[in-house]
């Protein structure tokens, strides 16, 4: 078998071993999971291979509902993100939503430069919008890597804000006072998660323009 094939077969071998080890520890593990899922947490993270939600939080399958994209963005016209969010919030009724960025994020680094990468430039453009909001703070940081680290943090904070501004989150707050929305940054260099302490549980600090009142149908609009 050549190296090329090995990469592929390694995954199926890994699966066999994982099933065996898991059953050794808990013979009912898969039978229980097959009954259904009731995860209390939605994770919106980066697609980066080094940031797997379950592993870095020491959780198991069934505990976290996961959406990942490049640079953990909450783009309010993204049907994929909105569908995951709507299902997680309104059907699974998750208690917490976590936006998790990470230092050394390639998407953030690319967005800070001017090189073209193709289609992805249109996605990274949303990060440039975040840069623009915090341009003064960012450009006062002389070291490029430190500036990128700060943009990672600020991007997470902005995505938490964007998430709270969705009708899905605002309506859920009104109906059931949940979920709580949090922003984290993971350090791929040491494995530690930093809580940005920007947790939100209501719209009291939201700019008025983003606050959604009762649904328009009630007023015959
Ligand atoms: Co990333």
């Amino acid at each position: 078998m050549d190296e090329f094939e090995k990469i592929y077969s390694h995954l199926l071998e890994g699966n066999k071993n994982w099933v065996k080890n898991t059953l050794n520890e808990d013979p009912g593990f898969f039978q229980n999971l097959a009954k259904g899922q009731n995860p209390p947490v939605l994770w919106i993270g980066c697609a980066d291979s080094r940031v797997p939600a379950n592993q870095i939080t020491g959780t198991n399958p069934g505990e976290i509902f996961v959406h990942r994209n490049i640079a953990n963005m909450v783009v309010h016209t993204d049907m994929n993100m909105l569908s995951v969010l709507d299902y997680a919030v309104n059907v699974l009724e998750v208690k917490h939503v976590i936006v998790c960025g990470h230092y050394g994020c390639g998407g953030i680094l690319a967005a800070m430069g001017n090189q073209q990468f193709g289609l992805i430039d249109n996605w990274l453009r949303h990060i440039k919008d975040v840069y623009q909001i915090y341009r003064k703070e960012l450009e006062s940081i002389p070291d490029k890597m430190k500036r990128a680290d700060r943009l990672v943090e600020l991007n997470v904070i902005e995505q938490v804000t964007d998430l709270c501004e969705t009708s899905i989150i605002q309506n859920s707050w009104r109906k059931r006072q949940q979920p709580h929305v949090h922003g984290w940054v993971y350090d791929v260099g040491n494995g530690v998660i930093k809580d940005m302490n920007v947790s939100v549980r209501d719209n009291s600090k939201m700019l008025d323009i983003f606050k959604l009142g009762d649904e328009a149908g009630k007023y015959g609009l």
Side-chain angles (χ1 to χ4, degrees), residues 104 109 142-150:
L109 288 165
D143 182 77
K144 194 184 169 221
M145 290 318 287
K146 285 198 177 119
R147 200 184 315 143
D149 284 352
R150 185 59 184 150

Side-chain angles (χ1 to χ4, degrees), residues 46-48 70-72 102 104-107:
C46 184
D48 192 298
I70 288 167
N72 42 272
H102 67 100
C105 182

